[in-house]
């Protein structure tokens, strides 16, 4: 595990420092200087390097420096050693430079540093640093651990050739906090990351367990060649490169049984990275069994394209859990989100285009079977709206459970969006809304639909224009529908036996006419006979 290694990066803090003498025979106090140690050597054995050198007469100790450059501008280790050997453990695969100096006493001054030596660490265990652009096919090793240093780009932004990064089941990949580590699959790249329920692929923070938090690193970004409604192409946030094109079937690879944790670094004000950003991604890409956990910005956001995503779990995202914009025309099934009370916004924030509400192609996804759980209580007002449908989006959403949001269950904004609702191009049906609304003077004002004064009648939309929805107005009703969905330490989103999620009529996903959708005769994101969240997901908040 990458638990000792970050400490190596901070060895220079708290060390006893001393002055290294000039090139004169005497130091500034007029005492004789020691000679620099001779015979510095390094024995690299996998992820352990043993340094040795010859003793210097009258030396009281030695100062060993290791750097990533031969100018020693970027020190990795700066250590005082009493003997003539030093063992450096948990070393990342890379090329390093080392030098040694002798420490004097009252009678002798410190020596100059010795000439440097080059140390190549290429063992079969330890941490491998990934940086810059991966320009050839690369396959990672599940027995190794990997560090994303800065932006790591797979493939070129332009061109038709595709470079594939293959990540086997069980691989651990860390985003380096100090360099805004992130993984970007460019339009010239593909990812083949196929974990399993027993061995998920984990993208996480490089900080020790117990000290991790949202915004520790960047996140995972996929750029594809599918259409947008903002132009032929766009540039991704955070310097993640161009995306978009003319191929809705574009294939950027596979993400399966992957966790993305503690990400969402702010690159600049109002420019934060999502846990998983799908930018112009085509429906040839496979996205299933993915958890985004404790992200500072949105959990998952679709920027145009036609990506299809199944078995998606978002927990503790500080902004929106699910977000789409710029003409996303994809599909989704079996989605679950759980907000945390300390920081949250919408369950779904759905846009067509903020610049032009009538831009085409329209955002128009079809989504079946989702569970959206807010986190409102009398002590916080972070949790907001279950489904915020705005800026001209179309959508067809069925079999949803929306519970415990702090403003309303559903809200429609902007005239263009309302026109779609009236025309039957914006649909939310066969769904259950439970105890959504605000606290006013410690009293819950239930609002399963918005009551804002904007000439849009959400009550009519959710009760008479869509006639198969159901509403519950007491907190206790949540436990009547789902097993334990508001428990942030050990949640369960399994429907209660004999409860409304199983007895009310669910819309048939297979009626949508797409092989993407699976049959499901229940409401919500989790099959009572197949809890797909078991075993590979996490609720650890640090």
């Amino acid at each position: 595990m990458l638990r000792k290694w970050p400490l190596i990066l901070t060895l220079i803090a708290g060390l006893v420092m001393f002055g290294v003498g000039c090139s004169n025979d005497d130091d500034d106090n007029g005492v004789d200087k020691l000679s620099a140690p001779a015979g510095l050597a390094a024995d690299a054995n996998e992820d352990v390097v043993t340094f040795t050198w010859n003793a210097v007469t009258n030396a009281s100790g030695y100062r060993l420096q290791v750097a990533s450059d031969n100018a020693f501008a970027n020190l990795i280790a700066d250590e005082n050693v009493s003997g003539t050997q030093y063992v450096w453990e948990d070393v990342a695969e890379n090329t390093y430079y080392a030098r040694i100096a002798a420490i004097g006493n009252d009678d002798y001054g410190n020596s100059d540093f010795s000439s440097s030596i080059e140390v190549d660490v290429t063992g079969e265990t330890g941490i491998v640093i990934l940086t810059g652009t991966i320009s050839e096919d690369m396959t990672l090793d599940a027995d190794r651990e990997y560090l994303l240093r800065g932006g790591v780009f797979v493939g070129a932004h332009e061109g038709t050739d595709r470079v594939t990064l293959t990540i086997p089941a069980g691989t651990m990949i860390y985003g380096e906090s100090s360099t805004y580590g992130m993984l970007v699959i460019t339009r010239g790249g593909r990812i083949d990351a196929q974990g399993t329920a027993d061995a998920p692929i984990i993208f996480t923070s490089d900080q020790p367990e117990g000290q991790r938090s949202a915004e520790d690193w960047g996140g995972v970004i996929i750029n594809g060649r599918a259409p947008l409604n903002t132009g032929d192409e766009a540039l991704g946030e955070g310097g993640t490169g161009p995306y978009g094109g003319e191929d809705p079937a574009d294939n950027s690879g596979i993400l399966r049984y992957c966790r993305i944790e503690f990400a969402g670094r702010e690159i600049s004000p109002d420019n934060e990275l999502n846990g998983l950003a799908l930018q112009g991604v085509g429906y040839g890409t496979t996205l299933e069994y993915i958890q985004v956990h404790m992200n500072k910005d949105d959990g998952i956001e679709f920027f145009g394209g036609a990506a299809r995503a199944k078995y998606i779990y978002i927990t503790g995202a500080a902004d929106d859990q699910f977000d789409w914009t710029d003409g996303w025309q994809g599909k989704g099934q079996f989605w679950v989100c759980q907000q945390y009370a300390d920081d949250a916004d919408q369950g779904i924030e759905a846009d067509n285009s903020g610049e032009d509400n009538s831009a085409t192609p329209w955002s128009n996804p079809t989504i079946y079977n989702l569970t959206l759980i807010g986190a409102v209580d009398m002590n916080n007002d972070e949790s907001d709206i279950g489904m915020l449908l705005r800026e001209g989006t179309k959508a067809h959403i069925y079999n949803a459970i929306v519970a415990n949001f702090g403003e309303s269950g559903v809200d429609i904004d902007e005239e263009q969006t309302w026109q779609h609702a009236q025309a039957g191009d914006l649909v939310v049906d066969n769904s259950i809304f439970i105890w959504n609304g605000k606290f006013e003077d410690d009293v819950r004002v239930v609002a399963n639909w918005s009551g804002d004064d904007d000439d849009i009648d959400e009550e009519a939309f959710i009760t008479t224009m869509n006639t198969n929805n159901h509403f519950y107005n007491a907190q206790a009703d949540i436990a009547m529908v789902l097993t334990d969905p508001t428990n942030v330490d050990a949640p369960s989103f399994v429907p209660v036996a004999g409860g409304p999620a199983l007895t009310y009529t669910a819309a048939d996903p297979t009626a949508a006419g797409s092989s993407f959708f699976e049959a499901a005769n229940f409401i919500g994101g989790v099959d009572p006979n197949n809890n797909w969240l078991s075993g590979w997901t996490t609720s650890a908040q640090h």
Side-chain angles (χ1 to χ4, degrees):
M1 298 296 293
L2 183 62
R3 296 295 170 248
K4 296 180 181 178
W5 186 72
L7 300 179
I8 296 297
L9 300 179
T10 57
L11 280 174
I12 59 174
L15 293 174
V16 178
M17 303 301 292
F18 62 94
V20 175
C22 302
S23 59
N24 301 330
D25 293 334
D26 296 334
D27 70 8
D28 292 339
N29 296 320
V31 299
D32 291 336
K33 285 174 51 175
L34 296 173
S35 299
L40 178 61
D43 179 15
N45 182 13
E46 295 184 344
D47 63 341
V48 176
V49 179
T50 302
F51 293 99
T52 56
W53 54 90
N54 297 338
V56 174
T57 303
N58 296 316
S60 63
Y62 302 91
R63 181 183 181 186
L64 176 71
Q65 287 188 340
V66 182
S68 59
D69 62 297
N70 204 16
F72 288 82
N74 298 297
L75 288 179
I76 294 174
D78 192 349
E79 183 71 286
N80 285 355
V81 184
S82 59
T84 58
Q85 176 178 291
Y86 178 74
V87 179
W88 186 22
E89 297 180 332
D90 295 332
V91 183
E93 181 175 315
N94 210 338
T95 298
Y96 303 94
Y97 299 87
R99 63 186 183 181
I100 190 75
I103 302 174
N105 51 33
D106 291 341
D107 297 321
Y108 293 91
N110 303 325
S111 79
D112 293 329
F113 278 110
S114 68
S115 298
S116 64
I117 64 170
E118 184 175 302
V119 184
D120 290 321
V121 180
T122 57
E124 296 181 357
T125 62
I127 299 99
V128 180
I129 296 174
L130 302 177
T131 188
T133 298
I134 297 172
S135 56
E136 298 179 350
D137 290 351
M138 174 183 286
T139 299
L140 305 188
D141 183 346
D143 292 330
R144 311 293 297 275
E145 294 179 337
Y146 296 84
L147 182 76
L148 301 171
R149 174 163 289 168
V152 178
F153 294 83
V154 178
H157 294 302
E158 306 299 339
T160 57
D161 294 336
R162 304 294 275 256
V163 173
T164 299
L165 175 65
T166 301
I167 306 175
T171 303
M172 295 288 294
I173 300 173
Y174 301 91
E176 188 171 52
S177 177
S178 62
T179 62
Y180 301 1
M182 60 182 175
L183 180 64
V184 182
I185 310 302
T186 73
R187 289 190 293 191
R190 282 198 179 101
I191 186 168
D192 185 0
Q194 301 191 51
T196 67
D198 294 329
I201 294 166
I202 300 176
F203 299 87
T204 191
S205 165
D206 69 340
Q207 300 303 297
E209 290 183 17
Q211 300 178 34
R212 302 173 301 185
S213 61
E215 202 180 2
D216 274 349
W217 61 290
V220 177
I221 300 94
I222 302 179
N223 294 331
R225 297 183 173 128
L228 318 171
N229 66 18
T230 57
D232 293 337
E233 67 174 31
L235 292 176
E237 295 178 319
T240 56
Y243 62 91
E246 299 180 350
D247 183 7
D250 187 42
N251 179 3
S252 295
I254 301 172
L255 283 180
R256 178 180 293 128
Y257 282 110
C258 294
R259 289 204 327 245
I260 303 169
E261 309 172 345
F262 305 105
R265 175 61 65 90
E266 181 181 61
I267 305 301
S268 61
D270 299 320
N271 186 10
E272 293 175 330
L273 294 174
N274 303 294
L276 177 60
L278 301 170
Q279 303 184 153
V281 173
Y283 65 75
T285 308
T286 299
L287 302 160
E288 57 187 23
Y289 298 100
I290 298 169
Q291 180 183 13
V292 178
H293 179 62
M294 291 290 291
N295 199 74
K296 183 62 176 176
D297 196 38
D298 299 331
I300 183 171
E301 183 163 4
F302 301 85
F303 294 88
R308 300 173 178 180
K310 189 183 296 185
Y311 298 108
I312 308 298
Y313 185 38
I314 312 295
T315 43
D319 196 2
D320 309 311
Q321 313 303 293
F322 299 97
D323 196 331
W324 68 73
T325 188
D326 297 346
W328 178 50
Q329 296 189 312
K331 295 177 170 59
Q333 189 178 18
F334 306 125
W335 288 7
V336 176
C337 79
Q338 183 192 51
Q339 291 186 337
Y340 293 166
D342 60 336
D343 205 358
D345 205 348
Q346 330 295 349
I348 289 176
E349 184 174 277
D351 300 335
N352 181 53
S353 170
E355 299 296 325
D356 178 4
N357 289 179
S358 60
T360 58
W362 301 101
S363 289
N364 188 19
T366 300
I367 307 169
Y368 283 84
N369 296 96
L370 57 160
T371 297
L372 309 176
I373 303 298
V376 70
D377 59 35
M378 288 187 294
N379 300 315
N380 82 86
D381 59 358
E382 292 294 327
S383 186
D384 203 347
I385 300 167
M387 296 183 188
L388 175 57
L389 310 172
R390 65 180 194 178
E391 295 183 348
T393 191
K394 299 180 181 181
H396 294 76
I397 303 172
Y398 304 95
N399 302 344
I401 296 174
V402 183
N404 203 39
F405 284 87
E407 186 172 324
S408 65
V410 64
D411 185 15
I412 298 174
D413 285 351
E414 281 83 48
E415 176 62 25
Q416 182 65 71
T417 324
W418 181 233
Q419 290 179 16
H420 291 324
Q422 293 173 307
D425 293 324
L426 178 63
V427 174
V428 178
D429 210 359
N430 300 89
S431 297
I432 300 172
F433 295 82
I434 317 168
W435 207 58
N436 301 290
K438 299 179 180 180
F439 277 97
E440 296 181 2
D441 299 324
D442 296 342
V443 176
R444 186 64 173 268
V445 179
V446 176
N448 283 316
W449 52 81
S450 176
D452 50 10
D453 185 16
D454 59 2
D455 296 324
I456 293 176
D457 191 348
E458 285 90 351
E459 180 179 4
F461 171 74
I462 209 71
T463 60
T464 60
M465 295 165 65
N466 298 277
T467 59
N468 298 298
N469 294 312
H470 310 275
F471 308 94
Y472 292 88
N473 299 327
Q475 184 177 20
D477 293 331
I478 297 175
M480 183 179 69
V481 179
L482 297 173
T483 304
D484 198 4
T486 60
N487 183 335
V488 297
D489 297 314
S492 174
F493 306 96
V494 175
V496 172
L502 303 181
T503 56
Y504 287 132
T505 300
D508 179 8
T510 64
S514 170
S515 60
F516 170 82
F517 292 112
E518 300 178 22
N521 60 355
F522 56 90
I523 297 174
V526 177
D527 188 333
N529 299 311
N530 177 25
N531 186 359
W532 55 270
L533 295 165
S534 295
W536 63 278
T537 60
T538 185
S539 295
Q541 296 182 39
H542 297 286

